Amino acid sequence: KAGVTQTPRYLIKTRGQQVTLSCSPISGHRSVSWYQQTPGQGLQFLFEYFSETQRNKGNFPGRFSGRQFSNSRSEMNVSTLELGDSALYLCASSLDTGDYGYTFGSGTRLTVV
Amino acid sequence: DQQVKQNSPSLSVQEGRISILNCDYTNSMFDYFLWYKKYPAEGPTFLISISSIKDKNEDGRFTVFLNKSAKHLSLHIVPSQPGDSAVYFCAARGTRYQKVTFGTGTKLQVIP
């Protein structure tokens, strides 16, 4: 059974550019959540999608957005990149909620220069 | 506003001894708690969870204790093994469809 796949694994972007990250959940999982991990801040919740609808949203600026497709694959987009957006972005999928524990992907390491 | 706090950024333990990782939370509406383990260059993996109706849950070498009145939970690893060296995240959730909030993590080093 394939795990959660995130692409790309590494990304270097210039300040002011935009970026799109992709996440393919485990087959059958309908919930996809996105987290940002930075040193000392732990995992900060970005948003959660379930059946193509955003169900929860974290406290990030509007430059951070996401969507989910009918096959449950999800993308997140960051516009007008800032140096502080450099982080590991993790995607997690679950059948429905976090009852069974999320399954995380390996993440996308974004570096903004 | 850090609602889930792991006040110890790191912990070193001798192999074979007990590792105790602590977590405090401030939101009294949290009713489901989880622990995740993360190795470098990998995503976190689910370890163990506990519902607020329980005060203890065991899974092999891992036991989670919950003290609701103190808003405190802990993860015990007995005996500790070098392969347990990783960053451990505590997480919590309110009602069923709410987001999962993570702590800042504790880096555990098990010394052979």
Side-chain angles (χ1 to χ4, degrees), chain B residues 15-29:
Chain B
E15 180 180 4
R17 304 295 291 269
I18 183 172
S19 294
I20 300 176
L21 295 98
N22 294 304
C23 177
D24 297 296
Y25 61 95
T26 58
N27 189 338
S28 58
M29 300 303 291

Side-chain angles (χ1 to χ4, degrees), chain A residues 10 17 45 48 52 54 63 67 76 82 91 93 103 107:
Chain A
Y10 303 93
Q17 287 186 311
F45 176 79
E48 180 202 2
E52 302 179 66
Q54 187 180 86
R63 300 185 296 107
R67 59 178 175 168
M76 68 163 280
E82 300 177 358
C91 164
S93 78
T103 300

Side-chain angles (χ1 to χ4, degrees), chain B residues 29 31 44 48 106:
Chain B
M29 300 303 291
D31 72 352
I48 192 169
T106 296

Side-chain angles (χ1 to χ4, degrees), chain B residues 62-103:
Chain B
F62 302 90
T63 303
V64 56
F65 295 92
L66 175 63
N67 182 332
K68 284 193 68 179
S69 60
K71 295 191 179 67
H72 177 83
L73 68 156
S74 60
L75 175 68
H76 292 209
I77 306 173
V78 186
S80 300
Q81 300 173 354
D84 296 329
S85 297
V87 177
Y88 289 79
F89 290 97
C90 169
R93 196 203 68 209
T95 57
R96 183 174 171 84
Y97 296 108
Q98 292 185 341
K99 69 180 184 183
V100 177
T101 300
F102 283 78

